[in-house]
Every structure is written in structure tokens, then in C-alpha cells.
Amino acid sequence: VTIDQGYVRDIQVAVVILQELGISLNDFKPNTIRLRQFGVGFKTKGVSKHRYVLTLKDKKPTKTREAEFKLTQEQFDKYWPHTKGARVHKKRMLKTIRKHSFELDAFMDRFLLIAECEVDKQELLEKVPVLGNDVSNDKNWSNKSLAK
């Protein structure tokens, strides 16, 4: 499944977008606003429930909170230009390796493959097969940092 993903870096623009969409933040203080468009097969392959999505992320010391909102194609097309210069284009594949589920992201604009495996408990990490360099805690390898 292909994914076009972009980040709204201008906070004033982000505030306007959230207001237009009627999204109330309450105590949620997002530091990331991401737009995504999923390609053909996104539902059947279990990648996403919706084709167009706006995601808010709030990074706390212990975890990241996320809130996702379904967008129409018209809304996505309206807000997508605000992500210019902050985008990634990738192909996502879901793969089971030694009983662990991985998301493999092959970036289409560079020679880069990132594998992600989420576990429920820290102690389970020891059982996850190593597929390359561990960049889990390196912000330089986050999609937001890789966006251009």
C-alpha cells in the first residue's frame, strides 16, 4: 500500500485547519499534525480504516498519544498544500517474521527501508528479531524528521 504523508509545520495554519474541521483539543497539546493518503488496498491489507486521515500526536515522556480524524478527499486536497517541503512517499508492507508482526516502509524517494515492530511490554523486545540498526530512540529517523 502506498502512503503519501505530510506534516503541517506552521502552527498558525495548523490552528486554522483544526478550527475549520471543528476539532476541539481540550487538554491535548499536539506537537505533530500529519496528513495521510493511503493507496489502493489500504482496508483489505489492514493498514488503515480510512483513505484520508489527519493525525494529531502529543509526545509525553512515557508515551505518545494519538488522535485520528477521517477526512474527505476534498478536505485532504485543501490542506495537503500546507505540507509542501515536509512529506514522505512510501510503500508499506505488513510482514510476519518469527511470529512478530512488522510494518516495513520502503521510501520511494530514497534508498531506505524502515521496519517497525510494536510490543506491549518492554521485556518482549528481547524476542523481536533484529533486522538492522535499531533507530527506535533516534529522532533523526522519524517520519517527521525524514520528511522533505
Side-chain angles (χ1 to χ4, degrees):
V1 173
T2 58
I3 301 173
D4 287 310
Q5 181 168 303
Y7 297 87
V8 179
R9 292 192 171 149
D10 184 327
I11 192 67
Q12 291 174 331
V13 170
V15 168
V16 169
I17 291 171
L18 296 177
Q19 288 173 341
E20 287 181 7
L21 293 172
I23 296 172
S24 175
L25 297 178
N26 299 322
D27 71 331
F28 194 69
K29 294 183 172 85
N31 63 354
T32 301
I33 297 178
R34 176 181 72 200
L35 295 173
R36 275 183 168 175
Q37 172 180 269
F38 295 95
V40 176
F42 66 96
K43 275 188 185 177
T44 56
K45 295 184 179 173
V47 174
S48 177
K49 293 178 185 175
H50 309 292
R51 181 161 196 151
Y52 305 99
V53 178
L54 179 138
T55 305
L56 303 176
K57 289 188 175 191
D58 176 5
K59 185 80 171 167
K60 296 287 185 190
T62 55
K63 68 176 183 173
T64 300
R65 295 188 302 174
E66 290 188 15
E68 284 197 349
F69 302 90
K70 177 184 175 184
L71 297 176
T72 64
Q73 181 177 353
E74 292 77 21
Q75 290 169 321
F76 180 87
D77 291 344
K78 178 180 179 181
Y79 302 129
W80 184 247
H82 297 294
T83 67
K84 187 174 182 182
R87 298 176 181 165
V88 294
H89 179 66
K90 59 190 180 181
K91 182 171 184 174
R92 172 156 299 161
M93 298 154 281
L94 305 176
K95 183 79 175 159
T96 301
I97 301 171
R98 291 193 213 146
K99 299 181 183 177
H100 296 278
S101 297
F102 283 87
E103 290 180 349
L104 303 171
D105 287 343
F107 289 75
M108 307 302 279
D109 60 347
R110 63 198 97 178
F111 190 70
L112 178 62
L113 178 69
I114 293 182
E116 180 178 326
C117 180
E118 293 185 6
V119 294
D120 295 328
K121 297 178 184 173
Q122 186 73 23
E123 52 270 8
L124 294 175
L125 279 175
E126 296 172 10
K127 297 180 180 181
V128 176
V130 177
L131 302 179
N133 296 332
D134 184 356
V135 296
S136 303
N137 296 316
D138 187 341
K139 292 180 182 180
N140 295 315
W141 292 98
S142 72
N143 282 302
K144 186 176 177 181
S145 294
L146 293 170
K148 54 181 177 176

